Amino acid sequence: MVKQLDKVLYTAQSHTTGGRDGGAGQSSDGALDVKLNPPGSGKPGTNPEQLFAIGYSACFIGAMKAVAPKINVKVPEDVAIDANVSLGPTDGGKAYGIAVKLAISLPGLDDAQKKLLVETAHQVCPYSNATRGNVEVELAIA
């Protein structure tokens, strides 16, 4: 079942040409302008998996900051996430998919606070909700 938005808070707009092999992408406001090339190609530019890794980790930090006051946990100033987004074949090579690992660093919090914060954020994070049930997501708390 597809969940409909109750209200649109923001819409990102971009324009992409050429795809992951020698393409380019720009945001409508000009804040993002990237060259695209395949992972491991050695060519200049980034790839969709790197962009997804940064987007997911930034969104997850935002989700932690959003839920923290509700559960009486303060997100550390030096919160960090190392994100890995893996690309590979699925269904015996008939399709491709991704898998995600977020290594979440929350210095200064005890283990119970870390776990509560990460689990609560995972329930509200837009990327977590978009991938749930479709993409393998591992949350590793440091």
Side-chain angles (χ1 to χ4, degrees), residues 5 28 31 36 40 45 49 60 62-64 67 70 72 74 104-105 114 118 139:
L5 297 177
S28 61
L36 301 169
E49 292 73 33
F60 200 90
M64 288 191 293
V67 301
K70 298 172 186 168
N72 295 318
K74 185 176 183 326
I104 304 159
S105 175
K114 291 176 185 180
V118 168
L139 304 174

Side-chain angles (χ1 to χ4, degrees), residues 20-21 36-43 45-50 85-87:
R20 69 168 57 238
D21 193 5
L36 301 169
N37 270 303
S41 70
K43 297 177 184 176
T46 188
N47 60 68
E49 292 73 33
Q50 290 171 325
V85 174
S86 300
L87 171 69

